[in-house]
Amino acid sequence: MPSPARPVLSVVVPMFEEEDVLPLLVARLRPVLDGLGEAYEVVAVDDGSRDATPVLLASARRRWPQLRVLRLRANAGHQAAISAGLAAARGDWVVTLDADLQDPPEVVPQMLEAARAHDADVVYGVRTDRSADSAFKRHTARAFYAGMRAIGAKDAPDAAGDYRLMSRATVEAVNALPEEHRVLRLVVPALGFPSATVGYARAARAAGRSKYPLSRMVRLTVDSVTGFSLAPLRLATWFGLGGFVLAVGLLAYALVAKATGHTVAGWTSTVVIVAAFGALQLLSLGIMGEYVGRIYSTLQRRPSYYVAHDSLHETSAEHDPTVRAAQDGPDRPGARPEHARQDVPHRT
Ligand code: UDP
Ligand code: MG
């Protein structure tokens, strides 16, 4: 059981099907946290894994009382899983880090130290060395941050991912945001809390494969852009205005050509123009649709994750439900005892 008193530090670790890396993570993270000499909890957010992750977490928990397991009912995605962890974390300070050891746990004490020394509410882990990342990942990441700064998220520190330390005040501010699909690496800087940075070398994934295929990277980019800027909507307006001016010019040209007896330019150019405008209109509609979709989902207020179970609410006399659930098949309804269930939906 984690100590009932509020810990000084919470470490939130989102994980989706990380059975390969989990033993390595426990072996690296635990000595660092034990060495801090402060009360802590680790909030492992199991983002609906269907592999052995829940079983491994349950067995790790028997040996590591500070480990707390928050299981989400279904895969909610990296950002929503972190949000779930932030809402559950109880520490005065909260660190979020990836499960795959790309964010070295040894930096956590430096982050705490930097926060205290500089009186900062947020300490960003900044990647000073990304040589372990693929060239594709490095280039897309650089383009992402440059693009986001250009369209409005000016405070986003370069090369800062989701490895960061936040004070209780910052976490409360994040939890209070009503916005869906929040992209934390942009939302947190925008809150404007005093911050510091700690550099670290981004390691290669310790085991397993990336859970961020291109489609998810695109989704994150769309969430970032639409969450932070109205520029694309204005772009649609500019397309529309430019198109209108061009159309008027073409009309004048056609009229003059007719009056002076010249034949109007041929069929091909007409088709090209119609097609080009069709494409611009569809593009503009698509951009609007992205924002309208967000308005709709905000109105629906459907939670972006559901907590199935939080090991904090077990009593020590109870049989560990996660183990039984995992043996029975983690997704079988009723695999967990009724009183340990937490079907309360949470919003990010
Ligand atoms: N992750 C998650 N839910 C998902 C996808 C990923 O909780 O739907 C976790 C994953 O287990 C890892 C972190 O998010 O701890 C970052 O994912 P990953 O390392 O696969 O991304 P990459 O480093 O390749 O961008
Ligand atoms: Mg990774």
Side-chain angles (χ1 to χ4, degrees), residues 104-328:
E106 292 75 18
V107 180
V108 170
Q110 295 171 34
M111 287 180 159
L112 255 183
E113 212 169 281
R116 287 170 172 157
H118 302 291
D119 220 4
D121 275 274
V122 185
V123 179
Y124 299 102
V126 172
R127 301 154 185 182
T128 48
D129 175 2
R130 294 195 67 150
S131 51
D133 276 341
S134 70
F136 175 72
K137 194 108 196 170
R138 283 203 303 275
H139 286 117
T140 49
R142 192 172 310 132
F144 173 81
Y145 288 108
M148 287 315 298
R149 272 199 300 274
I151 64 169
K154 293 198 174 50
D155 308 312
D158 207 1
D162 282 306
Y163 193 15
R164 76 176 85 72
L165 174 120
M166 287 174 275
S167 65
R168 172 74 5 220
T170 313
V171 172
E172 301 289 342
V174 172
N175 291 343
L177 291 172
E179 134 181 36
E180 313 268 333
H181 314 294
R182 60 167 86 116
V183 179
L184 290 158
R185 63 189 69 177
L186 301 176
V187 161
V188 174
L191 293 173
F193 283 93
S195 67
T197 57
V198 167
Y200 73 99
R202 179 97 163 146
R205 182 175 248 283
R209 54 175 182 78
S210 171
K211 310 299 179 307
Y212 253 89
L214 187 62
S215 58
R216 276 185 193 248
M217 284 167 69
V218 170
R219 194 64 246 167
L220 185 73
T221 308
V222 172
D223 282 346
S224 303
V225 171
T226 50
F228 261 81
S229 174
L230 294 178
L233 269 180
R234 300 207 181 99
L235 197 70
T237 314
W238 286 114
F239 276 151
L241 275 178
F244 180 71
V245 170
L246 210 68
V248 169
L250 280 170
L251 187 71
Y253 169 77
L255 287 176
V256 169
K258 193 175 163 63
T260 54
H262 291 92
T263 20
V264 180
W267 181 81
T268 318
S269 58
T270 312
V271 170
V272 167
I273 289 164
V274 168
F277 278 97
L280 280 184
Q281 280 173 356
L282 285 178
L283 179 70
S284 308
L285 272 178
I287 292 169
M288 298 238 219
E290 198 57 52
Y291 286 90
V292 172
R294 274 159 181 270
I295 296 169
Y296 181 55
S297 70
T298 305
L299 284 177
Q300 281 180 311
R301 297 190 68 77
R302 189 176 297 160
S304 56
Y305 61 87
Y306 293 89
V307 174
H309 178 81
D310 182 348
S311 66
L312 185 72
H313 304 303
E314 289 161 22
T315 63
S316 46
E318 256 172 31
H319 182 67
D320 189 342
T322 328
V323 174
R324 207 164 69 208
Q327 283 163 353
D328 292 348

Side-chain angles (χ1 to χ4, degrees), residues 13-18 45 47 75-78 81 97-100 102 137 202 205 209-212 216:
V13 192
M15 47 186 83
F16 176 57
E17 308 195 338
E18 298 287 12
V45 184
D47 188 9
N75 180 241
H78 183 207
L97 100 169
D98 284 354
D100 59 0
Q102 287 201 278
K137 194 108 196 170
R202 179 97 163 146
R205 182 175 248 283
R209 54 175 182 78
S210 171
K211 310 299 179 307
Y212 253 89
R216 276 185 193 248

